[in-house]
Amino acid sequence: MNNNWFRRLLLSYLPVFFIVTTILFIIFFQVFNEQNRKEALKANEFLASQVMQYLDNSLRSIDFKVLREILTNSSLKNYFAVSGSHDVYAGIQAVQVIDDLKIDFPLIDSIYLVRYTDDTVFSNGKGVPIGEFPDAAFIGESRAANSQKWVGSRDFKAFDEAAQPAKHVITLVRSVGSGQGLIVVNVDLQTLRKSIMQMYDPEFTFVNVFNRSGDSLWENNRTGRDNASLASGEVFSEFTSGYSGWKVETGLNNGKIIKFALKFYDIWFAFAVAVVFIGVIWVIYVTRRNYKPIEQIVTLIQTVSSQTQLGPVKENEFRFIQNTLERMIDQTRQYQEEYEENLLLQKKYFFQELLEGAREFADSDLQSEMRKFNLPELADRWTVAVVEIDRYPQFAADYHEQDQSLLKFVLISILQENTRQEGNEVWAEWISDRRLYAILWLPETMQPEEVEHQVLSGYLDRVEQYLNFTVTIGMGQAATDLRGLRSSLKGAVRALDYKAVLGVGQIIWFADVPDSKNDVYELLKTISLLVQAMRVSDEIWEKHFDRLFAQITASVLSRQEMINTVQLLFQQYKREFAELPREYLELWTALLGRLLN
């Protein structure tokens, strides 16, 4: 064979392996990159919203506090009410207000008060003319614009000294009273930026804030939005404040992220190549190892085929094995069907032997046979029930043979289900066309008869509910050994002999069957009077006819006794009507044949 199937198996595995792994790699890296991008977008969007919320809350809180002090603080009102440097106490109170604001809001770098009544600026605890204050130009612009808002960003110096560097600040301007002056609050952007940088890692993420003019707040050289974003990296999210009008942009630093992604990609790619290489070696190894049992099986089948008619290997090993297995499966199926049929016949034959006494069983043989057919072990008490289909000729006429078999199967199934629902076991077999014989295991209780009655009454109710015919059950006496079991069968059969007089669709217990009161003399007398009245066409024959069947019912005759009585009636007919003229005799003979049937 030259490893024919081995080569085909290997060539079948490897292309699929390469294609699947390649597609998986592509999908993995695509999903991985997309997932990273989505996570980055979510993280940046959250960061931008947090920064914007922090900025708005911080600036709004400062603005609200300053406005509240303007409206409610008497010390501040007192300072703007005086003029010149006459009221030192008012200046001290103003310093106290400024210090309280700085303590409450660490972001505030400096605060100065502008009083128009004497054109002085109060800063750092002293007042100076507006013209001598380093921020005089800004005060003039604010006074002319008469606007109350945050202004940013700009450079601010508290003292006109060359040694002091200017700070990059944003400024809140609020007017006091009706043109009395201004309160100017400067927030250091460097401090604000440091507080915001605690929310993210600057190595991987950037945050840019732009004012209404589009200038960056973080840069002193007024870098525009486009230049700032280009220098930082790709912008993932942005938010615009409804309060300040500033715009916050967040994104990832290009250099760090690209290096990390490339490094991570190289690691995964190297790992993927290694996995593919190992996979190829593993496929070859597994294919070679798995082929060895196939080769051994083919060799074994070839050895057998040389002694049988299996034939040589023509196409490939698996086709050869398939054909061989198909023949074996067909043979096994046939053997299994034959075995199951034989087992059913053996079980039914064992049932007859058990009840009819055709074979004696030792205890060990009996238990062995019960286990063979998956039957429960015989307990201390059991009994026999015989279920007979009522009006069987009508039943046979109403239903086809297949329907009859199905209905008989239903009768067994209902009996088994109803018995097991009560916690008992039953073994039932159809021994004759109209009678179902059943062995019922009785529970070890004080009154097993109540259990029997409950099981069988429920069985009759379900038969009446689901089927269009009735059954009558003959019950034998309880047994404790095999001989008693066979005697129980005879009692159950005998109980059914009284179905005609006791009624159908019920349970007839052998112990409850009344003694027969067969008064032959009275029956013969009634038969004689009936026949004689009919022969002379006396209408009184109908009374004798009714009396005859009333006597049969009252005497509780068995089936065989009733048959004997009816046969005696017809014999009396023949004897009496034999004396009739020939034409009447021929007519009666033809009618009698139909009556006998």
Side-chain angles (χ1 to χ4, degrees), residues 169-216:
V169 298
I170 55 175
T171 304
L172 173 65
V173 180
R174 279 288 181 183
S175 62
V176 178
S178 301
Q180 289 181 323
L182 298 175
I183 293 181
V184 180
V185 180
N186 296 312
V187 174
D188 186 10
L189 285 176
Q190 188 65 24
T191 304
L192 182 62
R193 185 178 186 183
K194 288 181 180 180
S195 62
I196 292 175
M197 287 177 63
Q198 296 178 0
M199 301 181 184
Y200 64 95
D201 188 354
E203 292 187 4
F204 296 98
T205 308
F206 68 87
V207 175
N208 290 328
V209 182
F210 302 95
N211 58 18
R212 295 177 182 269
S213 301
D215 298 328
S216 175

Side-chain angles (χ1 to χ4, degrees), residues 311-576:
V313 181
K314 293 182 178 180
E315 296 184 2
N316 56 60
E317 298 90 332
F318 277 104
R319 182 61 60 85
F320 177 67
I321 294 173
Q322 178 184 356
N323 294 335
T324 304
L325 289 178
E326 286 178 354
R327 286 191 290 268
M328 293 175 60
I329 291 172
D330 290 338
Q331 293 177 359
T332 303
R333 186 184 298 110
Q334 294 177 1
Y335 294 153
Q336 183 68 24
E337 291 176 355
E338 293 176 359
Y339 171 76
E340 292 177 356
E341 292 178 359
N342 292 333
L343 189 64
L344 291 176
L345 293 176
Q346 291 176 13
K347 184 178 180 181
K348 191 171 184 178
Y349 182 68
F350 171 61
F351 185 83
Q352 290 181 272
E353 288 182 329
L354 202 62
L355 292 181
E356 295 177 358
R359 175 186 170 189
E360 294 297 331
F361 294 92
D363 291 340
S364 59
D365 295 338
L366 182 59
Q367 298 299 334
S368 176
E369 290 290 331
M370 298 293 283
R371 286 192 296 269
K372 175 182 176 182
F373 298 109
N374 296 324
L375 296 170
E377 295 184 0
L378 292 177
D380 295 336
R381 292 169 63 85
W382 58 92
T383 186
V384 176
V386 179
V387 181
E388 184 175 76
I389 300 175
D390 297 330
R391 302 177 182 87
Y392 187 78
Q394 184 65 35
F395 171 81
D398 291 342
Y399 299 101
H400 191 267
E401 290 184 1
Q402 293 182 349
D403 295 334
Q404 294 179 27
S405 300
L406 178 60
L407 291 172
K408 290 179 180 180
F409 174 76
V410 171
L411 287 175
I412 291 183
S413 300
I414 295 176
L415 179 60
Q416 292 174 342
E417 181 181 355
N418 200 66
T419 304
R420 287 167 183 166
Q421 285 180 351
E422 299 296 335
N424 298 325
E425 294 289 340
V426 67
W427 180 15
E429 298 285 350
W430 286 98
I431 302 301
S432 65
D433 291 339
R434 69 181 66 195
R435 287 186 174 181
L436 173 65
Y437 291 69
I439 299 177
L440 180 66
W441 276 256
L442 299 179
E444 296 180 1
T445 59
M446 297 297 294
Q447 296 179 334
E449 293 81 5
E450 294 183 1
V451 178
E452 285 184 90
H453 187 272
Q454 186 175 357
V455 170
L456 298 177
S457 298
Y459 175 65
L460 288 178
D461 293 340
R462 295 183 68 179
V463 170
E464 182 179 1
Q465 179 181 358
Y466 297 117
L467 303 178
N468 294 326
F469 57 89
T470 60
V471 296
T472 302
I473 304 175
M475 286 298 303
Q477 63 275 22
T480 58
D481 54 15
L482 191 57
R483 180 173 297 179
L485 187 68
R486 292 165 178 171
S487 176
S488 179
L489 171 65
K490 295 178 182 178
V493 173
R494 180 166 176 77
L496 284 177
D497 288 341
Y498 294 90
K499 182 175 71 170
V501 293
L502 296 179
V504 297
Q506 63 173 327
I507 306 171
I508 302 177
W509 303 86
F510 174 74
D512 296 341
V513 174
D515 295 332
S516 177
K517 302 174 182 179
N518 188 0
D519 192 344
V520 179
Y521 175 76
E522 288 296 329
L523 291 174
L524 288 176
K525 179 179 177 181
T526 304
I527 290 173
S528 178
L529 293 174
L530 170 63
V531 174
Q532 289 178 7
M534 290 188 68
R535 188 172 66 86
V536 297
S537 299
D538 189 351
E539 292 183 356
I540 201 174
W541 72 269
E542 294 183 1
K543 294 182 179 180
H544 295 308
F545 185 81
D546 294 336
R547 182 185 177 191
L548 173 63
F549 281 92
Q551 289 176 342
I552 292 175
T553 304
S555 299
V556 193
L557 300 183
S558 65
R559 181 184 182 87
Q560 187 59 45
E561 290 173 338
M562 283 188 288
I563 292 175
N564 295 337
T565 302
V566 174
Q567 288 178 347
L568 181 63
L569 173 63
F570 282 109
Q571 290 176 2
Q572 189 69 19
Y573 276 133
K574 288 182 181 180
R575 185 181 301 111
E576 291 291 337

Side-chain angles (χ1 to χ4, degrees), residues 203 232-233 252-261:
E203 292 187 4
S232 301
L252 299 178
N253 292 323
N254 291 331
K256 297 290 184 179
I257 295 301
I258 291 176
K259 289 180 180 179
F260 175 76

Side-chain angles (χ1 to χ4, degrees), residues 59-67 150 172 174 243:
L59 300 182
R60 186 180 283 111
S61 298
I62 295 174
D63 190 6
F64 177 78
K65 183 66 174 178
V66 171
L67 182 60
W150 284 96
L172 173 65
R174 279 288 181 183
Y243 169 70

Side-chain angles (χ1 to χ4, degrees), residues 129-189:
I130 295 178
E132 298 177 4
F133 192 66
D135 208 20
F138 178 77
I139 294 174
E141 293 176 1
S142 300
R143 186 173 184 177
N146 194 23
S147 60
Q148 302 181 15
K149 61 181 180 179
W150 284 96
V151 180
S153 62
R154 68 189 188 91
D155 295 330
F156 169 74
K157 292 177 64 175
F159 303 99
D160 191 9
E161 297 178 2
Q164 182 185 11
K167 292 186 178 180
H168 199 47
V169 298
I170 55 175
T171 304
L172 173 65
V173 180
R174 279 288 181 183
S175 62
V176 178
S178 301
Q180 289 181 323
L182 298 175
I183 293 181
V184 180
V185 180
N186 296 312
V187 174
D188 186 10
L189 285 176

